[in-house]
Amino acid sequence: MNFDFSDELLQLRDQARRFLTDRCPPAVPRRILDTDEPYAADLWRDIAEMGWTGAAIPEEYGGVGLGRLAICVLAEELGRAVAPVPFSSSVYLATEAILQFGSEQQKQTWLPKLAAGDVIGTFALAERPGSFDPAKLTASVSNGRLTGMKLAVPDGDIADIAIVATRSGLHLVDLNGAGVTREPVATFDPTRSHARISFSAAPVDTLPNADIRRLLDYAAVPMAFEQLGLSQAALDMANAYAKERYAFGRPIGSFQGIKHKIADMYIQVELARSNAYYGAWAVHTDAAELPVAACVARIAACEAGWFVTKENIQTHGGMGFTWQMDCHLYYRRAKLLSLALGGAREWKHRLISELRARNTLLEAA
Amino acid sequence: MNFDFSDELLQLRDQARRFLTDRCPPAVPRRILDTDEPYAADLWRDIAEMGWTGAAIPEEYGGVGLGRLAICVLAEELGRAVAPVPFSSSVYLATEAILQFGSEQQKQTWLPKLAAGDVIGTFALAERPGSFDPAKLTASVSNGRLTGMKLAVPDGDIADIAIVATRSGLHLVDLNGAGVTREPVATFDPTRSHARISFSAAPVDTLPNADIRRLLDYAAVPMAFEQLGLSQAALDMANAYAKERYAFGRPIGSFQGIKHKIADMYIQVELARSNAYYGAWAVHTDAAELPVAACVARIAACEAGWFVTKENIQTHGGMGFTWQMDCHLYYRRAKLLSLALGGAREWKHRLISELRARNTLLEAA
Amino acid sequence: MDFEDTPEEAAFRAEARAFLDANAERRKPGEVEGYRRGQDAPGAMERAKDFQRRKYEAGFVGIHWPVEWGGRGGSPIQHVIYNQEEAKYDVLTGIFGIGIYLAQPTICTWGTQEQRERFVKPAMRADEVWCQLFSEPGGGSDLAALRTRAERDGDDWVINGQKIWNSGAHYSDFGILVARSNPDVAKHEGLTFFILDMKTPGIEIRPIRQVSGSSHFNEVFFDNVRIPDSRRVGPVGAGWKVALTTLMNERHGMRDAPGPDVAELFRLAESIELEDGPAIDDAAVQEKLAEFYTRSQGLKYTKFRGITALSKGQTPGPESSIIKVVAANKLQDILSYGLDMIGMAGPTMGDSMPVAGIFEEALLYSPALRLAGGTDEIMKNIIAERVLGLPQDPRADKGLPFRDIPTGARK
Amino acid sequence: MDFEDTPEEAAFRAEARAFLDANAERRKPGEVEGYRRGQDAPGAMERAKDFQRRKYEAGFVGIHWPVEWGGRGGSPIQHVIYNQEEAKYDVLTGIFGIGIYLAQPTICTWGTQEQRERFVKPAMRADEVWCQLFSEPGGGSDLAALRTRAERDGDDWVINGQKIWNSGAHYSDFGILVARSNPDVAKHEGLTFFILDMKTPGIEIRPIRQVSGSSHFNEVFFDNVRIPDSRRVGPVGAGWKVALTTLMNERHGMRDAPGPDVAELFRLAESIELEDGPAIDDAAVQEKLAEFYTRSQGLKYTKFRGITALSKGQTPGPESSIIKVVAANKLQDILSYGLDMIGMAGPTMGDSMPVAGIFEEALLYSPALRLAGGTDEIMKNIIAERVLGLPQDPRADKGLPFRDIPTGARK
């Protein structure tokens, strides 16, 4: 058994961590938070140059062909750095959709540009509050033209293309083209921009044989790693603070009220890490268990992200809810990522449907 | 506002506490646990002599007419003492059913005997694992004869009469009469005996206008007080132990891991107490809010009972799971009472149905 | 067991209601009040002061204070009744709370007759607004570890240092301040309590931006700020005992957490669709709603029990600490579950969101409610020690002169 | 990233499986093992000893021990692989664990050559069974606070006192014992470690009845029990360091909680009816199942990560502490929820209940799993201190001679 990343990928992880420690300290997401700048375009260019945006794209389409495990490794580091870049939208979603469901021509047209980071992609799904149900989507395509509205599309204001979900499948739309109106929307995490997008007879290029749920499953795994990195960073922050901050003549981490809380945070992070690894194995091997693995990776990541980032604030006491401390960067982003792709509630519902459809898996529990 | 018991009832509570401290120390439930004796018959006789069994029965039927609040007060003390007597079955259920739904003749026949404790009543409802649904009961009455089987009837082996639920309502059955077969069943709390009862054309005396749900609501409130008393006793036990037991040179209650746990136990007990009081007000005034009040009293009592009794064991460390310490008396009984009348899950389901049926209550939340 | 007023209470409630009807507007039913919305609206302070003056003239300020303090000499339950009624009206009185309910009782208890005469009435009438200067950046839950220095210089004290978590320094006339007058004695023994005129030279006020983006608190810096000794409250070195009078009054309140509660979660569940239909029909949503409802009702009736104790003339104790802990955590649980139900659209802020966006708003301010006025951990210590009689934590700073207490790397 | 054996691991697994097929019977699929069921069956001990001897002859005892200790000189991952395979067979080997995995490594590390030659092989072959005599009634989590006295008398030590939480004293040949040889020095410094022949006069064994009604543990009393000095392990006064070797080995294991897990809750939910149909169709039940399943999978893959570390030659650290804490609490949550689903019929014990009554059975033994082998609180301290580097709790007993450490009213 080797239930860990290969030495090459662990090296990639260390490289990514060093790079982001240097180029994406908390000041970078803070800059996006405090200004009108929608994302860190400079960081994005650097990331693309290092080949991260093309990590999972085969070399024949301009990528570096490292496979999806590399994306998981990078996602964890981007999460840790609270990086204000459209990596999840462009890589886990738009690129993945074209890789999995695109025609040869679509791949040749778009993958090299996505790999190079010259084109930013996103995924437009939600139309209303509540859970996702493909049968209830109202955006529709007729005669190659899309009409409808999509709410709170992540990176929707900066993306060049969107993969848009309708009841008939997935469609590639040029967001700078005709029939597209975008309106930025405020969210509780301004370090990642969002837009409402209206389509009025916008021309589309439909992806053949698309499967929205499958796309969500594939995206949920790197997203879980991004959530994991974020959670680990918040845990590390709480742990460091508990050692250096004194109250009543001793470090606050020597009080079991704080000490056991941090142990609980660690437990949540470890369980989320183990489930994320299971997800990585499943996307890597294209396993039949992927839907189940994606669900558990997602559920554990959402649970850990919320608990750890809110208790990191609590550990910091009054300072924790000031703008000046970084606690809130993790807290905002953790909740944002736990709602992107649908909340844990929705994935729990899905998990049980999947388990009931495959009785044997249960034996392995 | 006087959201508390009257001075008379507080006096009754003090009397009951003194009496039970004297007559029902932990050795009494232990005697039932360790022997074949099904209940503490001597304690039952004393309780009846003091008028507790007739507390809510009007004087015209041989009771003392103190009303249902008196039952709540007594229930709390019986819970605190883990009293091994059929008080809940006979008083909250059988007596209440006859009081509420009985004909004048049924009242005259049975209430004086129940008040005197000469007859022990019980309530037979469940026929299968799972939640209660009156429409799915299979026991049935035709031509005044009952046929069917009831699982795990509390005090079913010692009761003289049972109020038996069928799809057509509630029926009074003489358990010592024809067509009744009883078989004691083992439960995880041997301090209260249970029996499976089979009815084969057993003669019944049907209660007119019976309403099973209403009976459960009325019974849930004193049951919540019994659970509350039990929880309070377990909290008090943990608190006392945390002060006297030393580890690492200081009382274990000075470690926040234990100290905050006990504070959490207190919080649960206080919330359960407040909700139980609301229930008491509702049964006392026969308020329209009773179904809602019964649900919240029940849910909070079940939650507190489980948390407090299991964490009392935890607080006691290894000694906590020995037979010799009293922790398990509370732990067993708390789980027993949280399953009698149906578990919290079932009452949560019901609460929401009730709230949706009466939108105005929500405003007051 | 009833929820009814006694005849005397009913009469007082009618009197309060008559005053309020004549002087304020009722809130719209179902209106959800966000966290401290309204305080920053233009003209809000003037309207608030005007109402407060009328409230004072009508005898509803200091209802339960002794007449000798300028109060009505009424009962604590009358105070509660007035506040229950006032809560139904659209008035802003919280900003005067520090002056009236914290500063003046402390001055009346520990101050001189001159101080009492000078300060109490203007605070009650809102002619003078007060703020509190206790917490420090290095102190946190360990309030008595404060380092702001007070050095005697002739008839004055000279203050140097820094305070934090101050509300309203920028609009306040006076502040209550605790400073360290002697670092060579034990932590609690070297403090002195002062009344500070906020117009004194050397005071700098900097707003603290919170996670929510707004600034309800300030840091306040003192650079050789002079306070005449006549503005000292209580003996030199008795500042901790004096401050405890203030803190007891502060912790007295049974504080709820403003924001989305179970009613709002219900409305949300009624308005959105999940996999199998309306969220409100989903058994999992229902189970959560039932749990939250039970907790909310538990808090509501815990408050009623506290009011009953007041009504019987008893003093409610630290039992009310549970309300803050439970309410603040419940708020975080509710908003998180609500956002989860909203799903992918959940991050969007603003009134266009279901239930007016209060779930999203609460995400950003709710962490403060578990910290301000005593962290969850401190509140549990209070419950454990003062209600349940459990032993104190071991004290690493016990008996040490303040300057020798370990503080880690922090200066 | 894969779940596959390396070729070497696969070969070893095949070897283990061949041995097991030839010497034991496979468990039936889906069989739920209750807590320590089977140990008390008639003839169980003889069958267990017989299997253990064959296991020893085949070289599967002490797989990862050095050859000089009598082991195979294999790798820790081979030990794990053998145990994974053995778990699929109906054999009882746990009762030899104290002798093999706790006593002998301690003796090999600290003992004399004579002790090693005398004791190791008979323990491996199950010719001699061992038990542990560490815990005391007054000690609890504070293991080093033990009071059993060891007084030197000529060539012997004389033992007086009382131990608790002993497994198997009644069928054991030897015990490992820690006793206080000097109460005048600090707590950890006055202990000495011994090998005790359980047939020595003066030993009294009393079973402790647990909440479940069964007795898996004993109290053991010593009344002038004599141990020759040749049976001392390590130096006089070094008993705590010696015991730490034992304890490290004890905490090494990644212990799961036996009893109903998510698969059993699934089966329960499929078998019973709630308000609106089968429990498994209820969204609230599904949400709980999903949460438990996610936790179970998290544990499973945490174990896989630990095995991977072993396979890479790394030593798994105290990270595995999380498994015990999570598993024991999950068991309590699952059984409570399961009983709640069963509802009014839930209290009934026995095989007639859904899923063979294991929910009811687990109610009674599950509290022990949060306590035995380190309470939740101790495990969290271990995680906080050893994994996360957080500071220790303040020590009230630091530097005090043992006899002066406060113990409250307790004698």
Side-chain angles (χ1 to χ4, degrees), chain A residues 84-108:
Chain A
V85 289
F87 197 79
S88 55
S89 298
S90 198
V91 177
Y92 322 156
L93 288 158
T95 299
E96 185 69 47
I98 295 170
L99 266 174
Q100 293 235 10
F101 312 122
S103 66
E104 187 52 37
Q105 203 201 320
Q106 287 164 338
K107 289 182 188 177
Q108 287 184 10

Side-chain angles (χ1 to χ4, degrees), chain B residues 128 248 323 331-332 335, chain D residues 142 209 211 273 336 349 363:
Chain B
R128 55 177 181 112
F248 306 101
W323 192 267
Y331 176 72
R332 292 171 195 271
K335 200 68 195 175
Chain D
D142 187 7
R209 198 169 175 200
V211 170
E273 292 272 315
S336 181
M349 299 292 284
L363 178 74

